[in-house]
Amino acid sequence: MSMIRDLRAVVRPSSRVSPRKEQSAPYDTTRDPATPSAVVDCAVYRDGARVRSAEPLSPQEAMRLVRRDGGFVWIGLHEPTESEFAGIAREFGLHPLAVEDAVQAHQRPKLERYDDSLFTVFKTIHYIEHDRLTATSEVVETGEVMCFTGRDFFITVRHGGQGSLRALRHRLQDDPELLAKGPSAVLHAIADHVVDGYIAVADAVQVDIDEVETEVFSPGRRGGVSRGVDSARIYQLKREVLEFKRAVAPLLRPMQLLSERPMRLVDPDIQKYFRDVADHLARVQEQVLGFDELLNSILQANLAQASVAQNEDMRKITAWAAIIAVPTMVCGVYGMNFKYMPELHWRYGYPVIMGITVALCLGIHRTLKRNGWL
């Protein structure tokens, strides 16, 4: 248990960065000319320690070393083409369906079991910093990590420019006792790393939702009634949350399977720690579902406030139309040019009529203002 007690410290950095800051370093695209162009790193681990060699290893050379001396090989690839991945797939006996999914990307999070390997798909989430949420703001950016777990190999295929595994690899290499547990220890570390990213992004999205909620329900400047915010901003945030949910929700079942169902490719000491990952993922899923429901409520409230504001404007327009109707009616009557009209030739007729008109307008204005129409 001495190895396992430090498992959480290894797969999680000791210090957390702010969720509003970028969560991952740029992907390391340094590639060795001796290996396929998509291979970012290829290493052999024996008894938990990385086997050093004078020359960079190709995947085929690494696998020959493993078969001869034991241990396992961890190969990292970034957006390989079908031709670049074909040789590795043949060398490690990967299933053609899994290979096709790994090359094409845009897969749903899942866990598939084949004869000699496990194929796992993770959606990585990266929070995009922005000064102010707009109708076109991108809040989250997704990528993918596909993992092939075998008895003596572990292959990661990444798509997207975020969520580098380089720092995670270095942390694992600092704990040989953990890496000695084999490829399943790496699978757990990646799962935990991805879910930790979900937690950080959820905290950042919560801040965005709080800001929009505050704007919607804070009183506006006109009569103490909120004028609402642009509904497109709320809808855009809702779409980004939906993308987040598509990454989180389908992954829960695979994590539960890894934690509950015995698998010969997963070390029993490692398997119990998938329960912790599944628990964290379940909490994130509940949080994201809450985001979706809250944004529905905020959107409905914003539309209701916009409707109330429009009704208020219509009442004011109607009130002023009623006031203007008085002089319009008087001027209309006396503009008909009839010869015999009351007070038409009276010296004080004009000021009297104008005074009555003003008095009626003021009376109507006072009545409407008292009733809240103005």
Side-chain angles (χ1 to χ4, degrees), residues 61-100:
E61 292 170 341
M63 196 61 194
R64 282 195 291 270
L65 285 177
V66 167
R67 289 168 179 167
R68 186 187 66 189
D69 302 324
F72 74 95
V73 56
W74 179 0
I75 303 172
L77 300 98
H78 182 243
E79 298 182 354
T81 63
E82 185 175 353
S83 59
E84 289 172 336
F85 199 34
I88 296 176
R90 287 193 300 270
E91 180 70 28
F92 293 93
L94 305 180
H95 196 279
L97 292 177
V99 171
E100 181 181 358

Side-chain angles (χ1 to χ4, degrees), residues 20 26 110 151 205 212 250 283 366:
R20 297 300 296 246
K110 60 183 177 180
R151 182 181 58 83
V205 172
V212 171
R283 291 205 297 269
R366 182 178 179 184

Side-chain angles (χ1 to χ4, degrees), residues 136-156:
T136 58
S137 294
E138 287 190 51
V139 178
V140 296
E141 180 183 13
T142 60
E144 293 178 50
V145 177
M146 286 90 161
C147 302
F148 293 88
T149 307
R151 182 181 58 83
D152 51 8
F153 66 86
F154 189 83
I155 302 172
T156 57

Side-chain angles (χ1 to χ4, degrees), residues 172-185:
L172 286 172
Q173 289 175 171
D174 290 337
D175 192 341
E177 193 174 358
L178 175 59
L179 273 180
K181 290 294 182 179
S184 61

Side-chain angles (χ1 to χ4, degrees), residues 51 58 63-64 79 83 86 123 202 228 250 273 301 319 325 331 334 336 341 365:
V51 177
S58 68
M63 196 61 194
R64 282 195 291 270
E79 298 182 354
S83 59
K123 284 278 190 181
Y273 285 90
C331 295
Y334 280 90
M336 289 188 289
M341 293 186 70
H365 182 276

Side-chain angles (χ1 to χ4, degrees), residues 98-303:
V99 171
E100 181 181 358
D101 288 347
V103 172
Q104 293 182 353
H106 304 294
Q107 302 298 317
R108 190 172 184 265
K110 60 183 177 180
L111 170 67
E112 294 179 344
R113 289 180 291 180
Y114 297 99
D115 293 338
D116 298 318
S117 65
L118 294 175
F119 178 61
T120 315
V121 177
F122 299 95
K123 284 278 190 181
T124 58
I125 297 291
H126 170 68
Y127 180 79
I128 301 177
E129 291 291 332
H130 48 268
D131 296 330
R132 177 175 173 80
L133 183 67
T134 67
T136 58
S137 294
E138 287 190 51
V139 178
V140 296
E141 180 183 13
T142 60
E144 293 178 50
V145 177
M146 286 90 161
C147 302
F148 293 88
T149 307
R151 182 181 58 83
D152 51 8
F153 66 86
F154 189 83
I155 302 172
T156 57
V157 180
R158 291 200 337 102
H159 292 268
Q162 304 294 337
S164 171
L165 301 176
R166 184 180 180 86
L168 177 63
R169 185 190 285 262
H170 289 167
R171 288 199 300 273
L172 286 172
Q173 289 175 171
D174 290 337
D175 192 341
E177 193 174 358
L178 175 59
L179 273 180
K181 290 294 182 179
S184 61
V186 183
L187 178 63
H188 169 267
I190 291 177
D192 195 61
H193 174 74
V194 169
V195 173
D196 275 355
Y198 293 167
I199 295 173
V201 172
D203 292 340
V205 172
Q206 179 70 65
V207 174
D208 285 332
I209 295 176
D210 290 343
E211 290 176 357
V212 171
E213 186 178 23
T214 300
E215 289 186 33
V216 169
F217 293 103
S218 61
R221 295 181 179 179
R222 299 176 59 183
V225 178
S226 175
R227 310 303 293 181
V229 298
D230 184 6
S231 298
R233 293 173 54 198
I234 304 175
Y235 185 70
Q236 175 66 13
L237 185 56
K238 183 174 173 60
R239 289 186 63 184
E240 296 293 304
V241 168
L242 179 60
E243 187 173 2
F244 193 4
K245 183 167 69 174
R246 287 171 180 165
V248 174
L251 186 59
L252 183 58
R253 182 56 181 164
M255 292 300 100
Q256 291 173 339
L257 288 175
L258 286 170
S259 65
E260 297 170 359
R261 188 168 299 178
M263 299 182 185
R264 58 188 178 85
L265 294 175
V266 179
D267 189 283
D269 289 336
I270 297 295
Q271 185 173 29
K272 66 184 71 173
Y273 285 90
F274 279 105
R275 299 174 194 167
D276 182 65
V277 177
D279 180 63
H280 289 175
L281 186 62
R283 291 205 297 269
V284 174
Q285 182 183 23
E286 292 174 1
Q287 193 173 3
V288 174
L289 292 176
F291 290 163
D292 195 29
E293 294 177 2
L294 180 58
L295 285 171
N296 282 335
S297 301
I298 292 174
L299 183 59
Q300 292 173 2
N302 186 64
L303 294 176

